[in-house]
Amino acid sequence: MASPRFYGPLRGLFILVFSPLLSIGVALIIVCWGFGDSLERIYTGMFAAVLMQCLLLAAGLTYKEKFSSLRRVLSISHHWMGSMLGAMLFVICLSGSLTVLEPELSSWEMSTSSLAKYRGVKLDDLFSQARIAFPSATVLEIDIPESQEPWKIKSVGNSAAGSKTPIFIFPPKQRVYGDLTGILHRLHTSFFSGFFGRIFVSLFGFVLGALVMGGVVMHPRRKGSLLSLKWNKRFRLRTLAYDLHKLFGLWFSPLLLLIAITGIFPGVGSLAAKQLATLAFVESPIKIEKMLPRPYQRPEIHRVAPMMSLDQLLYHHAKAHPNFRVRKILIHYWGDENAYATLKGTRSWQLSTVKYENYHYALTHLRLLSHDSASDYGIFVRGFIATKSLHFARYAGALSRGLHTLAGLAASILAASGVWLWLKRHEQERVASYARPWLSGITIGLVLALSVLFAVTAITTNSWPMRSDYQSWAFGCTWMGAQCACFLPRQQNMRLSLFLLRLAAVIFLLAAIINVVSHRQNPTILSINLILLLATATLWGLAHKLKQSP
């Protein structure tokens, strides 16, 4: 008698229902009855649940399958998962590849007519002016600027709930407007839907991981196929798309898996940590945000004492810790005998953030009082802290940002090529005719909306108060209009898709030209303009290939 098979409906029920419940159960057991302090148990349980979910997902797809039939099961799941979720994955990956370039995009978006104005500022003079602006403040926060940004100082903890914190800017300058990086960041992290959107987006970390692993297992890995790419007029676009899909999926798989796994934690991980905290701190419920990082406490004693120079403090710290880059300075109780300064920053290749790396110095004699670091926590808490810098490429400067941008663009090509290959394979079936307008509108519409967003940003000045509103409206209306237009009949839809791709290419080119002409003195924007020119060439060439494709 043949052994019972793990049938399709049961397999789906196991993957979608039982495996999440089992993973949650593992997390609850660890939090309630595990070892270590409460904080460590929370993040141990969270990591164990994510690992368990990945293992159960793999088990659900491969249970009782021989290798030949395993490839078939993985092929079917890869095929349909990619077709149903590929368009949304394209949105997440393309917006994410741009989000990691936030410093470069900010330079590209904002006017840079006054470069090098803010260098050589003495911190003591700046702080004296800030104390005049905030006479009753007990804690002042100073943002250390990039080379072309002004100094920003604000009072911490003195604003009324719900009110906007006033900011002292030096040198005084007119207010600047623009939301290019904000739009891309909100699209990537939450689909403009707040915390629930973050949870939804983070679930695609499991999707991307499953698709990458399935693709690697199915890859033939024969000699000649590892670097095969037929970019030639003799070959059809379908052949080129298939080769790109195999090539990028194999060679970018390690970095894509890293991005997928770390992308799970900002949404699902944060929600899990908040819920598990209610079990870990039963006797005295506390929000997990108050536990990380652990606050440093040094009370004000209301005895006046002379203060040391802040410029001398920075010099003293740089000499003792030359690899530590200070990003923020918090001045506590200036003039008090217990006054102290907190220097926040990171080192290169450090898997942490500014929030967790703190040096506390007494302002009366510049003695180091305490040093807080992510390394003070347990391994799983450190792992959670590291996920943000790993996912958003904040660990090795421009090098890590460049690598993650390439990986994000590769993932976008994987998603788009996979969706297009699925549509070509099923073009005579009813399911493809229903799905084509939606998939075309989401993917091509996003590309066109991004081109319009960059064009509006390039055309408008950052002194225009309505700039952010026009950026948002142009982006949203263009995407929605392209989605509606894709519901035209099939023949008209094909011609429209080619037109939209060429239109997006032209708009990207115009945005790059306008930006170069208006900001010729700023070399830091070169990388973004090169990306826009690359997008122009790629989209125009793609439209040409699609026109020739049967």
Side-chain angles (χ1 to χ4, degrees):
M1 183 177 177
S3 59
R5 299 283 295 174
F6 196 6
Y7 289 106
L10 182 57
R11 191 189 301 273
L13 189 64
F14 177 82
I15 291 173
L16 297 176
V17 179
F18 292 141
S19 62
L21 291 177
L22 288 172
S23 302
I24 293 171
V26 169
L28 294 177
I29 291 172
I30 292 175
V31 170
C32 294
W33 295 288
F35 298 99
D37 63 17
S38 299
L39 192 64
E40 185 66 17
R41 292 203 311 273
I42 290 172
Y43 288 96
T44 303
M46 184 184 66
F47 272 93
V50 171
L51 178 60
M52 178 64 71
Q53 178 62 33
C54 293
L55 293 175
L56 291 174
L57 179 61
L61 292 173
T62 61
Y63 178 73
K64 283 193 175 181
E65 299 289 350
K66 297 179 180 179
F67 187 73
S68 57
S69 58
L70 171 61
R71 290 177 63 90
R72 181 174 178 274
V73 170
L74 288 177
S75 176
I76 292 173
S77 62
H78 187 89
H79 184 80
W80 287 102
M81 189 186 301
S83 64
M84 291 186 292
L85 304 175
M88 302 303 290
L89 201 59
F90 174 82
V91 175
I92 295 170
C93 294
L94 184 58
S95 58
S97 66
L98 295 173
T99 299
V100 297
L101 295 175
E102 184 174 348
E104 290 81 3
L105 284 172
S106 296
S107 298
W108 191 89
E109 179 181 22
M110 296 302 175
S111 173
T112 54
S113 58
S114 55
L115 289 175
K117 264 190 179 182
Y118 316 132
R119 297 172 188 170
V121 174
K122 287 189 175 182
L123 191 56
D124 291 318
D125 297 338
L126 177 64
F127 185 68
S128 298
Q129 296 185 46
R131 288 180 64 205
I132 297 173
F134 303 104
S136 61
T138 56
V139 182
L140 288 177
E141 179 181 291
I142 304 174
D143 283 346
I144 305 295
E146 299 291 340
S147 59
Q148 60 188 33
E149 294 293 324
W151 293 77
K152 296 178 182 178
I153 305 178
K154 64 182 179 180
S155 174
V156 178
N158 284 359
S159 298
S163 63
K164 194 171 182 179
T165 303
I167 298 177
F168 172 76
I169 297 177
F170 181 86
K173 53 178 282 187
Q174 64 181 30
R175 185 176 175 182
V176 294
Y177 303 88
D179 198 28
L180 173 64
T181 55
I183 290 172
L184 294 173
H185 188 270
R186 293 192 297 275
L187 174 63
H188 175 67
T189 56
S190 66
F191 282 151
F192 307 108
S193 303
F195 184 69
F196 291 105
R198 284 175 56 194
I199 298 171
F200 176 73
V201 169
S202 66
L203 290 173
F204 277 82
F206 290 110
V207 175
L208 179 58
L211 289 173
V212 170
M213 288 302 299
V216 169
V217 172
M218 292 186 298
H219 194 284
R221 292 189 293 279
R222 293 189 297 267
K223 185 178 179 180
S225 67
L226 298 179
L227 293 172
S228 174
L229 183 60
K230 299 179 180 65
W231 189 277
N232 193 301
K233 289 183 178 180
R234 296 180 300 159
F235 296 101
R236 296 183 305 168
L237 179 60
R238 192 167 181 173
T239 305
L240 175 62
Y242 183 67
D243 285 347
L244 278 173
H245 200 78
K246 291 191 302 180
L247 185 72
F248 286 173
L250 181 66
W251 289 104
F252 281 97
S253 58
L255 191 51
L256 290 180
L257 282 174
L258 174 68
I259 293 172
I261 293 171
T262 55
I264 295 170
F265 293 97
V268 174
S270 297
L271 176 64
K274 289 180 179 180
Q275 298 303 317
L276 294 174
T278 60
L279 297 174
F281 304 100
V282 178
E283 297 180 357
S284 56
I286 187 172
K287 289 187 177 181
I288 194 70
E289 294 89 348
K290 295 183 179 179
M291 298 292 296
L292 289 175
R294 297 187 183 101
Y296 176 78
Q297 300 287 349
R298 195 174 196 235
E300 185 179 11
I301 60 176
H302 304 286
R303 284 204 296 265
V304 178
M307 299 287 101
M308 300 292 287
S309 165
L310 294 180
D311 292 300
Q312 188 178 351
L313 169 64
L314 285 182
Y315 175 78
H316 171 74
H317 177 79
K319 191 174 180 180
H321 308 280
N323 296 324
F324 187 85
R325 183 182 177 187
V326 180
R327 303 290 183 89
K328 293 178 183 289
I329 306 174
L330 271 72
I331 311 297
H332 303 258
Y333 321 131
W334 180 265
D336 190 81
E337 189 174 321
N338 265 7
Y340 68 99
T342 300
L343 306 187
K344 294 175 170 284
T346 54
R347 294 179 176 84
S348 294
W349 298 97
Q350 186 177 27
L351 299 181
S352 184
T353 64
V354 173
K355 183 178 178 181
Y356 298 95
E357 304 302 317
N358 305 318
Y359 286 88
H360 306 283
Y361 288 93
L363 287 173
T364 52
H365 44 65
L366 302 187
R367 179 172 58 86
L368 181 63
L369 300 172
S370 177
H371 172 215
D372 305 329
S373 176
S375 59
D376 299 335
Y377 299 93
I379 184 171
F380 290 103
V381 179
R382 293 202 307 269
F384 180 77
I385 294 170
T387 56
K388 187 171 184 180
S389 57
L390 285 171
H391 188 75
F392 288 102
R394 295 173 183 171
Y395 55 90
L399 175 62
S400 60
R401 292 199 300 273
L403 285 175
H404 281 245
T405 298
L406 288 176
L409 292 175
S412 306
I413 293 172
L414 283 172
S417 60
V419 168
W420 186 79
L421 287 169
W422 179 85
L423 288 174
K424 294 296 289 183
R425 183 174 180 178
H426 299 274
E427 60 184 344
Q428 301 301 326
E429 300 177 18
R430 184 175 297 178
V431 63
S433 63
Y434 288 147
R436 183 179 288 106
W438 292 101
L439 298 176
S440 299
I442 292 173
T443 53
I444 298 176
L446 173 63
V447 172
L448 181 62
L450 286 174
S451 69
V452 172
L453 174 62
F454 276 93
V456 170
T457 303
I459 292 171
T460 57
T461 63
N462 58 16
S463 59
W464 186 33
M466 297 294 293
R467 189 190 197 195
S468 300
D469 295 332
Y470 272 75
Q471 286 174 320
S472 300
W473 278 102
F475 179 79
C477 292
T478 302
W479 198 355
M480 189 178 298
Q483 178 68 75
C484 295
C486 286
F487 282 93
L488 293 172
R490 183 175 176 183
Q491 288 300 113
Q492 297 179 13
N493 184 288
M494 184 62 188
R495 290 195 295 269
L496 176 68
S497 298
L498 298 178
F499 171 75
L500 293 180
L501 287 172
R502 292 193 176 106
L503 178 61
V506 172
I507 295 175
F508 274 129
L509 178 62
L510 290 175
I513 293 174
I514 293 171
N515 188 265
V516 168
V517 171
S518 56
H519 303 111
R520 285 173 294 182
Q521 74 280 13
N522 185 5
T524 62
I525 63 175
L526 179 62
S527 59
I528 301 300
N529 286 324
L530 287 176
I531 291 175
L532 297 183
L533 294 177
L534 177 63
T536 298
T538 302
L539 294 175
W540 194 270
L542 178 61
H544 181 69
K545 279 284 187 181
L546 281 171
K547 186 177 181 180
Q548 294 178 338
S549 178

